[in-house]
């Protein structure tokens, strides 16, 4: 065996290096010298992002267990960008008294989940895929239950880990029948053995159900609201964008590359699930009062839009998926950044009513929140419009007219509830609005990055074009 | 030799017993045990398929071993979280986990 193969997995190796450096830093320092821990983490992640921004070609290692393509590489960079923003926003929360001594653990767990997603994205075998998925979801449960002395957090953690276990059980059951009918689990060998027999359809359904739990598509979304509400806000933001984005990308990779021959089986299944996801996510979001719970349902409906890109099933679909995830990271993390800073500085105010009259005291935060919500709703000058537009185009090219029509109708509903928050901030009167908040430089930097993304990603067409080029090369 | 179908019947029954338990049990530990049943049924499936259908390769055995290891790790985390809940509210019944209803 050639051990130099490890060096070809550049994103994974550099991420492991970061984890080791941070681990040693955490282990051997105490007191004053720990002051720079977060700065180090942010700088290292920034370097990681810059080193890996230039995608390399198609690599296949370890006999096909690991395979990487330009679009997978680009997706890893997108996820790293999101993680960097989350880490910047975590700063404020991690300086609090009850979490300060656990800073190191937070970074270990967070980066382990990211590593798991990297392996999941570039898996070439179902075993690799499964291990990556579990590496992504087991530390995630620890993160959800991170606030040890709060009952909410433990409760959310229990709900998350039990549904994660159940979903991986379902998925493994599906994979076992794929193995039984075909005799191999390599992604490149499976298409040759697919016949569309009932057993294979059943295994496809089980596999899809397992992955649907991770993406929180509608029949499998019941854990989402509680887990999002109970988890610390930083973790919620991570869960809603990074974990979801990677799972959707993998879903598309597997459905197109592995189950491509069974397209007429998974197409109607996806059709129904997308309609249910978008509609139910929207309808439940309308009646939420807690902002984190609200964002949970909004993220469910956004997941429906992302999966819409899978319906295209070609390079355009892949491009619009990656682009949607990128824009979604900017918009959703901007919203969560504002929610996070307000929650930290106002002792846990996360209800929509608390935001009444926020404009009088915090005009800048209000402005960023408004931009983020407009982008999530898909109002033209912002990036959210372009991402939705590309997703619709790719689904429309696949001939799914009614699906696109229903999704379009749903954007109108979503506009209603996103604007409800804008109305609370700008119009509704309040005698005692939340006092003026002075945010720290880390949070400011993260909000600036997100705002630049919301304004720039759509207009800057080079991003979409390069993603398109990568996916043409990859598929 | 025992026919393959017998093993598959056992694993299928285990799978659906686990599913039934997961949806009906109202105790977190019992739910965890039900999920373990599902994961074990999968292991049986892999091993049986490998032994009977594709004996020249070891892919299924390896998958079963990794699945056992990973599910052990998951169970450890789940039990840690359940213990944490017990410390907070002195109870692990699902009906007491309704703090976040709207």
């Amino acid at each position: 065996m050639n051990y130099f193969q490890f060096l070809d997995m550049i994103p994974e190796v550099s991420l492991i290096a970061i984890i080791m450096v941070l681990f040693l830093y955490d282990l051997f320092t105490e007191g004053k010298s720990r002051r720079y821990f977060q700065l180090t983490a942010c700088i290292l992640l920034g370097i990681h992002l810059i080193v890996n921004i230039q995608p390399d070609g198609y690599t296949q290692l370890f006999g096909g267990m690991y395979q990487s393509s330009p679009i997978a590489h680009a997706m890893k960079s997108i996820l790293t960008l999101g993680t960097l923003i989350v880490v910047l926003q975590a700063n404020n929360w991690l300086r609090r008294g009850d979490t300060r001594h656990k800073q190191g653990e937070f970074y270990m767990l967070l980066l382990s989940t990211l590593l798991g997603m990297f392996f999941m994205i570039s898996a070439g075998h179902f075993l690799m895929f499964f291990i990556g998925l579990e590496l992504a979801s087991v530390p995630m449960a620890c993160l959800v239950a991170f606030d040890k002395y709060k009952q909410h957090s433990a409760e959310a953690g229990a709900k998350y880990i039990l549904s994660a276990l159940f979903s991986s059980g379902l998925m493994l059951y599906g994979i076992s029948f794929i193995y039984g009918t075909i005799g191999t689990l390599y992604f490149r060998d499976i298409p040759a053995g697919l016949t569309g027999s009932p057993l294979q359809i059943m295994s496809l359904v089980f596999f899809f159900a397992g992955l649907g739990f991770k993406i929180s598509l509608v029949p499998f979304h019941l854990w989402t609201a509680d887990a999002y509400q109970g988890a610390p806000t930083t973790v919620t933001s991570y869960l809603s964008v990074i974990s979801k984005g990677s799972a959707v990308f993998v879903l598309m990779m597997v459905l197109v590359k592995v189950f491509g021959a069974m397209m007429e089986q998974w197409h109607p299944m996806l059709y129904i699930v997308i309609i249910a996801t978008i509609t139910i996510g929207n309808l439940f979001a309308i009646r939420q009062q807690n902002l984190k719970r609200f964002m949970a349902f909004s993220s469910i409906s956004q997941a429906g839009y992302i999966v819409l890109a899978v319906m295209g099933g070609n390079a355009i679909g892949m491009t619009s998926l990656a682009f949607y995830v990128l824009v979604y990271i900017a918009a959703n993390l901007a919203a969560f950044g504002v929610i996070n800073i307000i929650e930290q500085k106002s002792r846990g105010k996360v209800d929509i009513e608390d935001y009444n009259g926020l404009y009088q005291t915090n005009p800048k935060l209000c402005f960023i929140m408004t931009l983020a919500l407009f982008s999530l709703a898909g109002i033209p000058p912002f990036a959210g419009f372009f991402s939705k537009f590309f997703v619709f185009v790719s689904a429309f090219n696949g001939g799914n007219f009614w699906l696109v029509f229903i999704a379009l109708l749903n954007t109108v509903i979503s506009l209603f509830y996103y604007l409800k928050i804008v109305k609370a901030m700008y119009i509704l009167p309040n005698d005692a609005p939340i006092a003026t908040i002075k945010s720290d430089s880390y949070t400011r930097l993260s909000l600036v990055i997100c705002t630049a993304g919301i304004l720039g990603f759509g207009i800057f067409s080079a991003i979409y074009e390069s993603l398109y080029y990568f996916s043409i090369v990859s598929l | 030799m025992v026919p393959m179908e017998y093993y598959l019947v056992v694993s299928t029954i285990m799978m659906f017993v686990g599913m039934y338990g997961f949806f009906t049990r109202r105790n977190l530990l019992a739910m965890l045990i039900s999920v373990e049943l599902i994961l074990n049924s999968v292991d049986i499936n892999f091993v049986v398929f490998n032994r009977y259908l594709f004996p020249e390769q070891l892919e299924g055995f390896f998958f079963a071993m990794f699945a056992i290891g990973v599910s052990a790790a998951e169970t450890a985390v789940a039990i840690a979280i359940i213990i944490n809940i017990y410390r907070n509210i002195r109870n692990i019944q699902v009906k007491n986990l309704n703090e976040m209803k709207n």
Side-chain angles (χ1 to χ4, degrees):
Chain A
M1 189 179 146
N2 179 11
Y3 288 98
F4 287 102
Q5 285 184 77
F6 283 106
L7 295 180
D8 289 336
M9 320 192 288
I10 305 163
E12 285 80 7
V13 169
S14 66
L15 193 61
I16 291 173
I18 293 176
I19 294 177
M20 293 316 286
V21 168
L22 288 180
F23 178 67
L24 293 176
Y25 191 161
D26 184 44
L27 198 62
F28 289 114
T29 56
E30 48 190 77
K32 262 193 148 185
S33 50
R34 286 183 61 103
R35 241 180 336 176
Y36 302 109
F37 190 79
Q38 270 150 337
L39 188 65
T40 319
C42 296
I43 290 174
L44 284 176
L45 264 178
I47 294 172
H48 173 75
L49 182 63
I50 292 166
V51 167
N52 289 303
I53 201 118
Q54 184 65 40
D56 53 355
Y58 188 83
T59 47
Q60 203 169 36
L61 306 171
F62 305 108
M65 289 288 267
Y66 174 98
Q67 57 185 22
S68 180
S69 54
I71 188 72
H73 203 108
M75 195 66 199
K76 285 175 195 168
S77 299
I78 292 172
L79 296 181
T80 314
L81 175 69
T83 312
L84 180 60
I85 297 173
V86 170
V87 166
L88 286 172
Q89 289 175 356
N91 183 52
N92 208 321
W93 168 60
L94 285 175
R95 279 181 196 281
R96 227 172 52 188
D98 58 332
T99 46
R100 190 180 296 157
H101 62 286
K102 299 194 285 188
Q103 275 181 20
E105 294 162 32
F106 175 77
Y107 287 105
M108 289 315 92
L109 293 170
L110 193 78
L111 296 178
S112 306
T113 59
L114 188 64
L115 184 66
M117 288 164 204
F118 280 11
F119 278 122
M120 183 167 85
I121 285 173
S122 46
H125 186 277
F126 269 115
L127 179 57
M128 196 73 193
F129 167 77
F130 169 64
I131 292 173
L133 188 78
E134 293 306 321
L135 184 52
S137 65
V138 175
M140 189 63 94
C142 307
L143 281 177
V144 171
F146 201 74
D147 269 341
K148 200 175 161 191
Y149 300 107
K150 285 197 180 143
Q151 194 197 329
H152 280 183
S153 190
E155 195 180 317
K159 281 171 182 164
Y160 182 81
I161 188 82
L162 280 175
S163 46
L165 265 166
F166 182 65
S167 68
S168 51
L170 284 186
M171 197 171 61
L172 281 178
Y173 198 68
I175 295 175
S176 79
F177 279 108
I178 295 170
Y179 178 65
T181 51
I182 299 174
T184 181
L185 286 170
Y186 282 100
F187 284 179
R188 59 159 193 261
D189 297 337
I190 289 177
L194 281 180
T195 53
S197 63
L199 199 56
Q200 284 179 350
I201 295 174
M202 190 198 85
S203 63
L204 174 66
V205 170
F206 270 97
F207 176 79
F208 179 74
L211 215 50
F213 265 101
K214 311 278 175 197
I215 313 174
S216 64
L217 296 174
V218 145
F220 324 109
H221 69 293
L222 294 167
W223 59 277
T224 318
D226 283 350
Y228 279 35
Q229 190 190 344
T233 309
T234 318
V235 179
T236 310
S237 62
Y238 187 76
L239 201 59
S240 72
V241 288
I242 316 288
S243 149
K244 191 165 281 187
S246 64
V248 179
F249 182 78
V250 172
L251 177 73
M252 174 146 195
M253 279 297 230
V254 172
L255 283 186
V256 172
K257 280 192 167 175
V258 181
F259 292 109
M262 289 168 72
M263 195 155 180
E264 58 214 56
Q265 273 87 23
W266 57 256
H267 230 254
M269 194 166 75
L270 220 53
Y271 204 101
I272 297 165
V273 165
I274 289 172
I275 291 177
T277 307
I278 296 179
T279 315
I280 292 179
N282 274 341
L283 293 182
F284 276 85
I286 292 175
R287 54 183 287 271
Q288 300 307 321
Q289 292 306 315
N290 182 305
L291 207 51
K292 276 161 86 176
R293 223 174 156 81
F294 168 86
M295 289 306 282
F297 282 105
S298 132
S299 88
I300 291 175
S301 87
Q302 297 281 346
Y305 287 109
I306 308 180
V307 177
L308 198 58
V310 181
M311 291 297 276
N314 50 14
I316 299 176
M318 184 67 96
T319 320
S320 56
L321 189 149
F323 188 70
Y324 201 107
V325 172
L326 179 66
V327 171
Y328 182 52
I329 280 176
N332 219 29
L333 286 183
F336 267 113
V338 175
I339 295 172
N340 195 6
I341 189 82
I342 288 177
E343 188 192 2
Q344 298 301 333
K345 299 278 168 154
S346 68
R347 291 202 205 87
K349 286 192 174 167
V350 283
D351 283 346
I352 294 179
E353 288 160 12
D354 297 331
Y355 282 59
N356 287 353
L358 191 69
Y359 180 67
Q360 299 155 22
T361 47
N362 295 297
K364 281 183 198 159
L365 286 181
C366 273
F367 180 65
I368 292 172
M369 187 76 172
T370 313
L371 284 188
L373 293 174
F374 278 179
S375 180
L376 284 174
I379 290 178
F382 306 113
F385 167 73
F386 294 95
S387 63
K388 278 213 171 68
F389 175 74
F390 290 133
V391 164
F392 287 159
V393 165
S394 80
F396 199 79
N397 282 341
N400 312 294
F401 309 118
W402 280 105
L403 187 60
V404 173
F405 181 67
I406 291 170
L408 263 174
L409 279 187
N410 268 293
T411 51
V412 181
I413 303 176
S414 72
L415 197 59
F416 166 70
Y417 62 76
Y418 286 127
L419 286 181
K420 231 170 67 174
I421 296 174
V422 177
K423 180 183 155 208
M425 290 191 302
Y426 285 93
I427 297 172
L428 290 183
N430 192 350
D431 296 335
I434 294 168
T436 305
I437 285 166
K438 197 172 169 350
S439 47
D440 56 321
S441 48
Y442 286 94
T443 310
R444 269 189 212 153
L445 179 59
S446 79
L447 290 178
V448 165
I449 297 174
C450 289
T451 315
I454 294 171
L455 295 175
F457 284 153
I459 297 165
F460 218 56
S461 62
I463 297 174
Y464 182 82
E465 276 168 15
S466 51
L467 284 175
Y468 183 59
Y469 171 72
F470 296 148
S471 27
I472 291 230
V473 177
S474 314
L475 274 179
Chain B
M1 207 150 102
V2 186
M4 184 175 83
E5 286 76 13
Y6 288 26
Y7 290 105
L8 290 184
V9 166
V10 170
S11 82
T12 312
I13 290 174
M14 268 172 77
M15 165 84 191
F16 285 98
V17 166
M19 233 186 223
Y20 178 77
F22 186 76
F23 289 124
T24 53
R25 288 300 175 130
R26 296 279 69 112
N27 179 312
L28 287 178
L29 278 178
M31 287 169 84
L32 190 61
I33 293 169
S34 311
V35 173
E36 285 300 311
L37 272 182
I38 297 178
L39 292 168
N40 287 345
S41 80
V42 172
D43 297 340
I44 294 178
N45 262 355
F46 271 114
V47 171
V48 167
F49 283 139
N50 197 348
R51 177 75 182 77
Y52 281 82
L53 298 178
F54 315 106
E56 64 281 0
Q57 284 158 348
L58 294 174
E59 233 172 325
F61 291 136
F62 276 116
F63 208 111
M65 284 172 63
F66 274 99
I68 292 169
V70 168
S71 68
E74 277 190 321
T75 313
V77 170
I79 289 180
I81 291 174
I82 292 172
I83 289 174
N84 198 9
I85 288 177
Y86 183 75
R87 284 200 182 129
N88 275 323
I89 62 171
R90 296 275 146 201
N91 203 330
I92 53 168
Q93 296 295 325
V94 173
K95 67 173 189 286
N96 295 320
L97 296 182
N98 52 7
E99 278 274 295
M100 294 183 282
K101 283 272 163 61
N102 259 26

